[in-house]
Amino acid sequence: MQAHELKKTKQKTSRRIGRGGKRGTYSGRGIKGQKSRAGARIRPQIRDYILSTPKLTGTVHKAGGNMGKPREPAHYINTGELDNVAKKGDTVDAKYLTENNLIKHAKGRGYGRIKLLAKGGLSKEITVKGLILSKKAKELVEKAGGKIEN
């Protein structure tokens, strides 16, 4: 086939319905309702679900409220657990607790916050270093003859 053999063909025009003639005024759409209107499209149902779901605004972190940096996870140790592991004169800090399997250390994340709670007794003299203590835990450490360092 060559260029001089090509013929132009007319494009088929779409049928204009609803203007008299064979189809009439309703043009196969029935009477009234959303589907009979011009440009009638029923929106997808998923859009209603998307619109009805509540939207979250701002940055939300697990333990830090809804603003600022997220807090590191806290570790809680009871004095009773510490009494079972510790010996007289030990210095209890984050490293000591991980060595004795009382807390887990996440790689690259530090130790986080470590708090000593007063559940169970404490009978040994220990030095607590760099831990957060509850009031009663502080009293128990001092009563047993231990020291608290920050």
Side-chain angles (χ1 to χ4, degrees):
M1 181 175 255
Q2 294 177 353
H4 70 277
E5 292 176 324
L6 292 173
K7 288 184 178 179
K8 279 189 178 178
T9 55
K10 285 187 178 179
Q11 281 191 322
K12 194 172 185 181
T13 53
S14 61
R15 188 177 281 169
R16 296 175 75 191
I17 51 175
R19 289 167 183 81
K22 290 183 180 176
R23 291 271 167 112
T25 52
Y26 303 124
S27 0
R29 292 174 180 264
I31 305 171
K32 295 184 184 177
Q34 188 180 358
K35 289 180 181 178
S36 71
R37 305 290 180 218
R41 275 190 64 227
I42 298 168
R43 69 178 182 200
Q45 196 173 12
I46 193 148
R47 194 177 298 164
D48 292 330
Y49 291 129
I50 293 165
L51 290 170
S52 66
T53 52
K55 309 301 182 292
L56 299 172
T57 57
T59 53
V60 179
H61 301 292
K62 283 185 180 177
N66 71 343
M67 296 302 275
K69 292 180 181 177
R71 279 184 173 177
E72 298 94 30
H75 299 285
Y76 299 102
I77 296 117
N78 295 315
T79 51
E81 294 173 67
L82 197 59
D83 197 45
N84 295 337
V85 176
K87 295 171 189 155
K88 187 178 179 183
D90 281 352
T91 304
V92 178
D93 58 351
K95 204 169 189 180
Y96 180 87
L97 295 170
T98 49
E99 287 168 1
N100 290 300
N101 297 322
L102 289 173
I103 61 168
K104 283 186 178 179
H105 176 249
K107 274 190 176 178
R109 296 215 42 210
Y111 292 100
R113 296 176 302 130
I114 304 163
K115 189 166 185 175
L116 188 64
L117 303 174
K119 190 173 183 183
L122 188 67
S123 58
K124 295 162 189 156
E125 285 182 40
I126 55 168
T127 306
V128 180
K129 191 174 181 180
L131 304 181
I132 304 164
L133 285 93
S134 66
K135 278 185 184 178
K136 283 194 177 181
K138 203 173 193 178
E139 288 171 16
L140 280 173
V141 171
E142 289 170 349
K143 196 175 183 181
K147 294 178 194 171
I148 298 159
E149 295 177 15
N150 284 338

